[in-house]
Amino acid sequence: MFDWENMRHFLAVARVGTLSGAARAMGVDHATVSRRLAALEAELQVVLVERLPRACRLTPMGVKIHRQATAMEAAAFAVERGALASQTPLAGTVTLSAPPVLVAHLLAKRLAAFRDEYPDIQLSTSAQPQQVSLSRREADVALRLVRPKEAGSVVRKLGEMPFALYASAGYAARHAPTDWSFIAYDAQFADMPQQRWLLQIAAGRSVGCALSDISGHLSAALAGAGVAGLPRFLGDHAPGLIRLEHDGPAFSRDVWLVVHRDLRRAAPVRAVMDFVANVVSQTPGLAQADASGN
């Protein structure tokens, strides 16, 4: 019988396509992935992966075993979800994935209140801009700014996160709108909807600095570096910033709550979902979804 840990590393290589990417996904180093992969090939006495200079490609036998192993992995995660779903006490660990802006500026300050209400639930919150797989237990519950489409998931629209333009009072006093310089995202986030909206508003005016996250945009705007596009729940309550009028369209991001259908009735997961929904509903500057969730 092969070592399942070796197989998990093979599945990561197959998903990502590189040893280094699989190492990041598994939280180990490159050498560990390579060693685990070689050990699995030795156990099965077949070559599973063709190692190319910049990528890994599955051999025909690797494709066949990957298909079978994916089904095994799905069954293993189903067992895990079923065990969690059977827990009736409000206890255990629940993992929540959410965009960094919502973790840092919305959820983190309310975790103490959650702990007071549910002292036996350990809420593990991860700030992740990318989608995560609920079927592979990368998270139990997720908040997303794009409607999730993963099979087996149950989604609910919690509301909308409107954006506006902000600058420090001193910057706004010193610069006419025609002279505004904008705080944008760096190149890796060029396709983000709020980046496209901001550059549409800028309409050829300069981008003075580029940062990778909204927390950085907030700090730069407070320091007088230029005009930032921020969620209103953040910008409207930041001392020292003022909201700026502008020509151009309004913009907002939808806020979605998603859970795997196997877990939606588990008591600890339900508690986290209710907590997140209440946080969103009670936050000024977040527009609520209607009763139908649309």
Side-chain angles (χ1 to χ4, degrees), residues 67 112 144 190 262 278:
R67 188 180 305 118
R144 296 273 73 105
D262 291 348
N278 287 337

Side-chain angles (χ1 to χ4, degrees), residues 157-170:
K157 184 177 176 181
L158 296 184
E160 296 181 355
M161 183 169 69
F163 280 67
L165 296 185
Y166 297 88
S168 67

Side-chain angles (χ1 to χ4, degrees), residues 9-132:
H9 285 72
F10 164 67
L11 287 170
V13 172
R15 273 193 294 269
V16 179
T18 64
L19 294 179
S20 58
R24 287 192 294 272
M26 298 292 291
V28 299
D29 57 36
H30 180 284
T32 297
V33 175
S34 181
R35 176 175 56 80
R36 288 282 191 178
L37 184 56
L40 180 63
E41 291 177 324
E43 289 169 338
L44 299 178
Q45 298 183 10
V46 293
V47 177
L48 300 173
V49 173
E50 183 181 357
R51 294 164 174 79
L52 304 174
R54 295 183 178 275
C56 292
R57 182 169 58 201
L58 299 186
T59 65
M61 181 55 70
V63 171
K64 180 178 180 180
I65 290 178
H66 173 257
R67 188 180 305 118
Q68 296 169 328
T70 299
M72 293 173 62
E73 183 186 46
F77 282 126
V79 169
E80 199 173 48
R81 290 193 303 271
L84 179 58
S86 69
Q87 296 177 7
T88 54
L90 288 169
T93 298
V94 178
T95 57
L96 168 66
S97 170
V101 61
L102 297 183
V103 173
H105 300 286
L106 191 66
L107 298 174
K109 62 183 69 175
R110 294 169 172 85
L111 291 180
F114 178 85
R115 183 67 175 170
D116 288 343
E117 187 170 358
Y118 303 105
D120 296 321
I121 298 178
Q122 180 185 6
L123 178 53
S124 176
T125 305
S126 179
Q128 297 170 302
Q130 73 276 11
Q131 300 279 347
V132 297

Side-chain angles (χ1 to χ4, degrees), residues 200-244:
Q200 182 181 0
I201 297 295
R205 287 173 287 185
S206 69
V207 172
C209 60
L211 301 111
S212 62
D213 65 275
I214 286 181
S215 295
H217 292 200
L218 173 64
S219 296
L222 287 168
V227 175
L230 301 172
R232 285 180 50 183
F233 85 86
L234 181 58
D236 283 354
H237 303 283
L241 290 186
I242 61 172
R243 194 196 305 178
L244 304 174

